[in-house]
Amino acid sequence: MKFSMCTAVYGMHDLHDTINRAAIHGFDAVEITAAKHLGVESSQQYRREVKSWIRDAGLECSGLHYIFDGSVKLATADRELNAKCADYLRKVIDVAADMDAKTVIIGSGGTTRSFDPGADRAEATRCMAEVIHKVGEYASGKDVHLAVEAINRYETNFLNTMREATEFVKLVDHPHVRTMADTYHINIEESNPVEAVRTYGYALQNLHLADSNRHAPGTGHIDFKAIADALLETGFDKYCSFEVFGLYPWKLWFDTVEEADRQMKIGIATARAAFGM
């Protein structure tokens, strides 16, 4: 199994140092928090610089997450907004391609991926599927996969379970569009998290590892050994990445670099043990 660390773990700490810390803690790659660390407005020069930091650390860039910056709306039937979102996603894919990243995670709670009150959900779903299919075609030419994430009901009102995400991806119907799950969200939404991974894991492009408290694996009550066994049964051979947060009301990341380091040490040890490494 390959493990990646989301750069959001260290918040807005110096990105170069964050990448080096991922290597020190034994990760194989970093997953860039795009809207915070490598947005669509970033220059080619800066992208080359970040790529060199990752290469020099002996890592890969496994993908991009936290891709939306609040400027677009995905869950809507408004054709003008659909076109604007598709254009934005193509720019995100360009960033991924520049970083040799194979995955762009379509996550995001809040208004970006949630239906507005009174919206025609069926029509908005169809339009969203059309947008992602078109963008998936663009991604295929860049050797990038889109990963549509199942996110818990407290963060979005659309695609909360692995089944819902898998059915939506079937509606999109493009080989470069797959699903994405997160053990933190699974713990909230699935009545049987292990069985959900066993049943729908075949469609996964990526899996985020976070415990029940959204801290690192090993700090909450999720049975990662059972999750790992179920995942391996599906033949999953891509990245498991660590998206863990401090969960404070005023920010998402941890108070100190030292606390983030402690979390990563616990998490990587727990994950390796769960996968028998």
Side-chain angles (χ1 to χ4, degrees):
M1 188 57 60
K2 299 182 293 184
F3 299 112
S4 182
M5 188 193 81
C6 296
T7 56
V9 170
Y10 286 84
M12 298 309 293
H13 179 66
D14 178 75
L15 182 59
H16 191 182
D17 187 57
T18 293
I19 290 167
N20 287 335
R21 287 175 184 274
I24 290 169
H25 294 314
F27 287 91
D28 303 296
V30 288
E31 184 178 296
I32 299 291
T33 308
K36 296 293 184 182
H37 296 146
L38 201 65
V40 297
E41 75 288 347
S42 58
S43 68
Q44 289 292 324
Q45 179 180 353
Y46 184 61
R47 294 178 197 182
R48 287 192 295 270
E49 187 174 16
V50 175
K51 186 176 177 179
S52 72
W53 296 341
I54 294 171
R55 181 190 63 240
D56 292 347
L59 304 176
E60 295 181 329
C61 180
S62 63
L64 307 180
H65 78 135
Y66 204 133
I67 63 171
F68 294 110
D69 61 5
S71 66
V72 296
K73 176 76 171 176
L74 183 58
T76 179
D78 184 310
R79 290 299 187 179
E80 184 175 342
L81 294 180
N82 292 160
K84 184 179 179 182
C85 187
D87 181 63
Y88 180 87
L89 286 170
R90 291 186 190 100
K91 292 176 182 177
V92 175
I93 291 165
D94 288 340
V95 176
D98 286 343
M99 303 305 294
D100 291 334
K102 302 301 183 184
T103 302
V104 168
I105 296 169
I106 300 179
S108 184
T111 60
T112 299
R113 215 192 72 179
S114 292
F115 296 120
D116 293 333
D120 184 334
R121 293 176 66 101
E123 179 64 11
T125 298
R126 187 179 67 80
C127 290
M128 180 177 170
E130 288 180 2
V131 167
I132 294 177
H133 181 93
K134 290 176 182 177
V135 176
E137 190 64 24
Y138 183 78
S140 68
K142 302 278 187 175
D143 194 24
V144 172
H145 281 79
L146 305 180
V148 180
E149 185 176 8
I151 299 176
N152 79 76
R153 74 192 75 176
Y154 305 108
E155 297 183 33
T156 182
N157 60 14
F158 184 52
L159 304 182
N160 305 126
T161 67
M162 292 185 71
R163 177 184 62 80
E164 290 168 350
T166 303
E167 290 177 351
F168 176 75
V169 164
K170 289 179 179 177
L171 177 66
V172 173
D173 190 26
H174 195 285
H176 274 253
V177 180
R178 295 174 58 81
T179 65
M180 155 66 199
D182 183 315
T183 52
Y184 169 76
H185 298 302
I186 291 171
N187 177 67
I188 294 172
E189 290 295 337
E190 307 291 351
S191 58
N192 188 329
V194 174
E195 190 58 32
V197 171
R198 182 177 292 114
T199 302
Y200 301 106
Y202 72 90
L204 287 172
Q205 175 67 18
N206 188 72
L207 179 67
H208 275 167
L209 299 180
D211 219 318
S212 53
N213 53 4
R214 215 169 197 175
H215 288 190
T219 63
H221 63 243
I222 292 177
D223 184 347
F224 283 97
K225 178 64 167 63
I227 294 287
D229 289 346
L231 188 65
L232 292 173
E233 285 180 30
T234 71
F236 181 85
D237 62 354
K238 298 175 176 62
Y239 273 101
C240 288
S241 47
F242 284 44
E243 186 190 60
V244 305
F245 296 127
L247 277 186
Y248 304 117
W250 61 93
K251 64 177 181 178
L252 287 175
W253 43 84
F254 297 104
D255 280 332
T256 65
V257 166
E258 290 75 19
E259 175 59 16
D261 281 342
R262 187 184 75 84
Q263 292 277 335
M264 291 303 93
K265 290 175 183 176
I266 295 171
I268 196 72
T270 300
R272 291 190 180 281
F275 284 97
M277 300 171 66

